[in-house]
Amino acid sequence: MSDGSIDLRRDVRARVWAEPLETLDPAQPDLFAQDAMWPYFERLRQEAPIHFTPESAYGPYWSVTRYQDIMAVDTNHEVFSSADGIVLQSLESKAQTVGRPTRPSFIAMDPPKHDVQRKTVSPVVAPANLQRMAPIIRERAGQILDGLPIGEPFDWVDLVSKELTAMTLATLFDYPFEKRRQLTHWSDVFTNAPGHGPVTSWEQKRAESEECFAAFTELWNERVNAPPAFDLVSMLAHGEATRGMDIHEYHGNVVLLIIGGNDTTRNTISGSVYALNKHPAQYDKLRANPGLIPSMVSETIRWQTPLAHMARTATRDFDLNGRLIREGDRVVMWYVSGNRDDGQIEDPENYVIDRPRPRNHLSFGFGIHRCVGNRLAELQLTIIWEEILRRFPIIEVVEEPTRTHSVFVKGYETLPVIIPKRN
């Protein structure tokens, strides 16, 4: 597998270190799509770990790039609020949404409203329910893997990563199973700008978003008039704190749950295959000792960092490690950078599946907004790799992946692989 992007990264690194520090802008989706953004974060961690970018495609914002500073922001929801949104929104996107209804979700809320809405849906990912789901996930993972072609190239993202997450999402929502790939499609609609991913225009993005909202409004109407059940829509429709929620708020929570249930797991499944191919000694280590799977899963979630950032808005002036953040400023926690902070993680650029304390990473966030489905993501990843090692001696990446054009979702559009033989 050749890597044609090495020269590009070298050129980017030279350009980054020659650029005036005050104009550095790491929020460039082109660089993320080329996996060439790393020099920006390397320099910022060294020279300006809390850095202000005055002009960008997303407006002015602060970058927080070191592990401990990110923790300080993530765990201080009183100063750093989620209510104005938790991702960088481009100025173009903001212009397209002027006059349209906002669709808040509980991840974009502060207490107390955040707490009661999160509590309503959290039972679906509680340990007892995960224990019930595990054999279902295992059966489906086996079916997916048994249906893969042997000895010919195929796209791992399409046939495995998307399919397993679509099946799990359909179960969580009790969504029609035969329509499960609509859920991953809608996730891509929501997270990609027109011209990237499945949509080519803002009109198409709005139309396909409305299709999703119409489908889930129909599900709400069905579930609210039926006895309470153990799926996310029914929980929201019958929850004491959520059954009277505004329709746009319900739609916002649908978007959150679709994206949250899709992107972390899907891109880490793909990222694990890619990482093990880039680090063959680690792949050898895993085959020799399948007991390392849980540690490998956590290391992949750190190394991949499937969501590159989360954003907050300062509710008042605040001194963050010597830099004055003003009330109203946008503050971006670059998880993707914090997970490569050598002040916190030893040898962070390397992929080490038996690393001590492998769950010492930022990928799930911290504080009140820590990922509610983190255990479900880890469960799916653990099961799929247990089933992979039972079936295949190796999965070979045959071409570099195409990556997501986004500063938020750090993932893979395609990952061409071949499985030479079965065990």
Side-chain angles (χ1 to χ4, degrees):
M1 178 185 63
S2 63
D3 186 349
S5 62
I6 292 176
D7 290 341
L8 170 67
R9 294 174 197 158
R10 188 182 300 119
D11 291 345
V12 170
R13 191 175 196 280
R15 188 170 71 245
V16 167
W17 285 88
E19 185 175 337
L21 182 63
E22 59 270 17
T23 63
L24 281 186
D25 174 19
Q28 299 183 51
D30 286 348
L31 292 177
F32 277 80
Q34 297 162 336
D35 199 38
M37 69 292 181
W38 301 107
Y40 281 86
F41 296 119
E42 179 186 356
R43 186 177 180 196
L44 289 176
R45 284 195 305 272
Q46 287 188 27
E47 297 188 357
I50 301 166
H51 174 269
F52 186 68
T53 298
E55 295 182 9
S56 80
Y58 305 88
Y61 67 93
W62 290 90
S63 285
V64 184
T65 54
R66 285 185 185 167
Y67 191 105
Q68 291 296 335
D69 292 330
I70 291 169
M71 285 272 287
V73 173
D74 222 356
T75 55
N76 189 350
H77 62 268
E78 293 180 351
V79 172
F80 299 104
S81 169
S82 300
D84 288 339
I86 51 87
V87 301
L88 281 173
Q89 185 180 13
S90 70
L91 299 177
E92 182 183 13
S93 175
K94 289 178 182 178
Q96 292 292 329
T97 57
V98 170
R100 297 182 179 276
T102 57
R103 303 182 190 275
S105 62
F106 64 78
I107 199 172
M109 295 176 184
D110 297 323
K113 198 170 186 179
H114 160 272
D115 299 348
V116 294
Q117 291 199 10
R118 179 182 170 112
K119 185 178 180 181
T120 300
V121 299
S122 58
V124 80
V125 288
N129 198 47
L130 295 183
Q131 189 173 8
R132 287 191 290 269
M133 289 183 69
I136 300 171
I137 295 170
R138 188 174 301 280
E139 180 182 5
R140 290 171 178 169
Q143 291 170 352
I144 291 168
L145 297 174
D146 288 340
L148 296 177
I150 302 298
E152 60 184 77
F154 66 93
D155 179 14
W156 183 267
V157 173
D158 183 40
L159 295 191
V160 182
S161 301
K162 285 186 178 181
E163 187 63 6
L164 183 63
T165 50
M167 289 180 171
T168 304
L169 271 175
T171 300
L172 293 174
F173 284 116
D174 192 17
Y175 194 79
F177 200 68
E178 67 280 4
K179 297 180 180 179
R180 61 190 178 276
R181 290 298 283 265
Q182 286 182 329
L183 299 171
T184 47
H185 173 77
W186 284 328
S187 181
D188 290 342
V189 168
F190 293 129
T191 57
N192 282 280
H196 304 281
V199 296
T200 58
S201 67
W202 289 103
E203 291 74 17
Q204 183 188 359
K205 186 179 178 80
R206 283 192 289 268
E208 298 213 21
S209 298
E210 290 301 331
E211 287 180 14
C212 172
F213 299 145
F216 273 87
T217 298
E218 185 176 342
L219 285 182
W220 174 284
N221 293 335
E222 291 174 2
R223 307 281 161 82
V224 78
N225 293 309
F230 208 69
D231 66 84
L232 290 168
V233 177
S234 184
M235 287 175 172
L236 290 171
H238 291 276
E240 182 177 352
T242 54
R243 60 192 176 202
M245 68 167 51
D246 176 83
I247 188 66
H248 300 303
E249 200 169 290
Y250 166 59
H251 291 162
N253 279 307
V254 165
V255 173
L256 165 65
L257 295 167
I258 288 176
I259 294 173
N262 171 60
D263 282 303
T264 298
T265 308
R266 165 178 151 188
N267 290 312
T268 310
I269 292 173
S270 300
S272 61
V273 173
Y274 182 70
L276 289 166
N277 271 260
K278 297 291 282 186
H279 301 82
Q282 301 300 310
Y283 206 166
D284 291 342
K285 195 184 297 182
L286 183 67
R287 283 191 294 262
N289 181 9
L292 289 173
I293 289 174
S295 175
M296 181 274 289
V297 164
S298 292
E299 173 69 348
T300 306
I301 292 170
R302 179 198 70 84
W303 188 84
Q304 176 61 33
T305 316
L307 297 179
H309 81 265
M310 287 283 176
R312 302 287 187 262
T313 302
T315 60
R316 58 180 173 85
D317 291 359
F318 186 80
D319 184 297
L320 180 62
N321 204 3
R323 297 304 303 273
L324 179 60
I325 311 294
R326 295 289 188 184
E327 179 181 352
D329 284 355
R330 292 290 276 165
V331 179
V332 180
M333 300 175 289
W334 289 107
Y335 293 158
V336 68
S337 175
N339 277 340
R340 301 295 177 99
D341 181 357
D342 62 7
Q344 181 71 29
I345 300 167
E346 184 179 357
D347 194 17
E349 298 296 331
N350 273 332
Y351 178 75
V352 183
I353 68 168
D354 54 354
R355 180 185 296 278
R357 299 177 63 220
R359 300 186 74 191
N360 180 32
H361 63 74
L362 294 164
S363 298
F364 292 131
F366 283 91
I368 65 169
H369 292 295
R370 182 169 172 81
C371 176
V372 70
N374 64 317
R375 297 296 193 215
L376 177 57
E378 291 171 339
L379 177 66
Q380 291 180 84
L381 288 154
T382 299
I383 288 173
I384 192 73
W385 269 101
E386 287 172 350
E387 298 304 314
I388 286 170
L389 292 183
R390 289 190 180 109
R391 287 166 171 79
F392 310 131
I394 193 168
I395 303 163
E396 297 177 357
V397 175
V398 295
E399 294 178 31
E400 279 293 302
T402 56
R403 293 179 169 85
T404 309
H405 188 267
S406 171
V407 299
F408 178 56
V409 176
K410 183 174 171 288
Y412 304 88
E413 297 298 315
T414 64
L415 181 64
V417 304
I418 191 168
I419 300 175
K421 62 180 182 179
R422 297 184 186 276
N423 287 335

